[in-house]
Amino acid sequence: MPGLAGSPHLVSSTELTQTQNLPERLVVLGGGYLGLEFAGIYRHFGTEVTVLEAADRLLPREDEDIAEAVQEILTGDGIRVITGAKVTEVRDNGAVSTVVYDKDGRTHTVEASALLPATGRRPVTDGLHLDAAGVHTAPNGAIVVDEYLRSSQPHIYALGDVNGGEQFTYISLDDARIVLDQLLGEGKRTTSDRRAVPHTLFITPPLATVGLTESQARAQGLNITVARENVADIVAMPRAYTVEETRGVMKFIVDSDTDLILGAALLSIDAQEIINTVALAMRHHITATQLRDSIYTHPSSTEALNEVFDKVLP
């Protein structure tokens, strides 16, 4: 992108966690997890924040209603979200940089005192001379591994972001378990053992997801029941009112034939905790009815499971 690499206002996410100077205007290039998280952080610090996303909407992997709810919360917090924005150039204007982007056939600009590219990361393997060791890499630099995380040299393992898998701390932790099982255990644990791995977008309130979306389930022709409730309408979730955060929605995709949970999208207070309970239930074939009828502490956000399922299950 012309002008980006040389911009004096270019910052990384690492630099934004360490700086002691609050930028007046932050422009985020990309509306993925990292971009939206830093947009939310710095908006709550008082910075004027603009997010430029090339796709037609935020979070294209999520159901449209969930993505719309996320954008509504972000814009409600004062974040300017511009989708369908194709950034073409960054111009240095001294105290600020001007970001030039196209949208709907017209050229627009926005000024930034800090500019965060948040369009993804790639493994840093250049310069390691892996080819000299016979270690194969993918075109993006990731080390190619099998389900045991062995590279093309069986005695060399690749863990974490460098192997091209999902870039989450807990995936790296599970990678370590797999390799330790190879070195010190029975050597049976593999990446194929991973089921119902949850993800959390840490905005306020957080969005936590696991399994299939409604769109994916319908595309597969599955017979599903959708349990969906706005957090503000869940009477059995008093914690949301206690902490004065009633924004968001809870959505579950249930197999109508087996009563098993196929997926969930929780945009709510404590979603990052509730999703772990849901994911555990999915891994161990605990039904939606069993989750609904369980006893939870009060007041807690997990109590919402009693009510959200109750309106759609017999």
Side-chain angles (χ1 to χ4, degrees), residues 24-275:
E24 181 180 351
R25 284 171 284 189
L26 172 65
V27 174
V28 181
L29 306 182
Y33 274 41
L34 185 145
L36 295 184
E37 287 177 349
F38 275 91
I41 291 169
Y42 270 81
R43 180 61 196 137
H44 281 90
F45 286 164
T47 294
E48 180 182 313
V49 178
T50 300
V51 176
L52 300 177
E53 168 56 45
D56 292 334
R57 67 176 177 90
L58 294 180
L59 306 174
R61 295 183 182 179
E62 305 301 332
D63 284 327
E64 191 167 349
D65 61 333
I66 298 299
E68 288 177 354
V70 168
Q71 182 161 339
E72 182 178 338
I73 286 173
L74 294 174
T75 56
D77 284 339
I79 298 172
R80 186 184 179 199
V81 178
I82 304 175
T83 56
K86 315 293 185 182
V87 179
T88 59
E89 183 184 3
V90 175
R91 300 171 184 164
D92 180 21
N93 295 322
V96 297
S97 288
T98 299
V99 181
V100 183
Y101 64 94
D102 292 336
K103 178 178 172 62
D104 299 329
R106 300 179 61 185
T107 299
H108 307 264
T109 61
V110 60
E111 292 186 339
S113 50
L115 181 59
L116 172 65
T119 54
R121 297 184 179 225
R122 56 175 293 167
V124 182
T125 54
D126 292 344
L128 294 180
H129 304 294
L130 295 174
D131 54 337
V135 175
H136 298 162
T137 58
N140 69 347
I143 297 174
V144 178
V145 295
D146 63 14
E147 67 271 26
Y148 297 98
L149 302 179
R150 297 176 302 201
S151 71
S152 51
Q153 293 291 340
H155 65 291
I156 299 177
Y157 298 84
L159 292 73
D161 296 352
V162 77
N163 65 27
E166 292 185 299
Q167 296 177 345
F168 297 101
T169 303
Y170 46 90
I171 295 297
S172 297
L173 174 61
D174 196 60
D175 281 358
R177 295 190 186 108
I178 292 172
V179 174
L180 284 172
D181 187 45
Q182 286 290 304
L183 300 177
L184 304 174
E186 298 180 349
K188 296 180 179 180
R189 190 164 187 154
T190 73
T191 55
S192 61
D193 296 329
R194 294 171 179 162
R195 290 185 57 254
V197 177
H199 308 104
T200 299
L201 169 62
F202 283 95
I203 54 176
T204 303
L207 170 66
T209 60
V210 66
L212 298 178
T213 65
E214 178 184 356
S215 300
Q216 291 170 336
R218 295 196 185 281
Q220 293 181 24
L222 299 175
N223 182 24
I224 63 172
T225 298
V226 178
R228 187 187 187 283
E229 193 81 14
N230 291 330
V231 172
D233 298 328
I234 304 176
V235 177
M237 192 178 176
R239 176 161 162 73
Y241 291 91
T242 302
V243 300
E244 298 181 345
E245 181 54 271
T246 59
R247 297 178 297 174
V249 61
M250 287 189 167
K251 183 176 183 179
F252 295 88
I253 312 303
V254 180
D255 188 314
S256 302
D257 300 323
T258 65
D259 196 30
L260 294 175
I261 300 169
L262 300 175
L266 311 179
L267 177 61
S268 73
I269 185 70
D270 297 330
Q272 77 281 4
E273 301 291 351
I274 306 171
I275 203 68

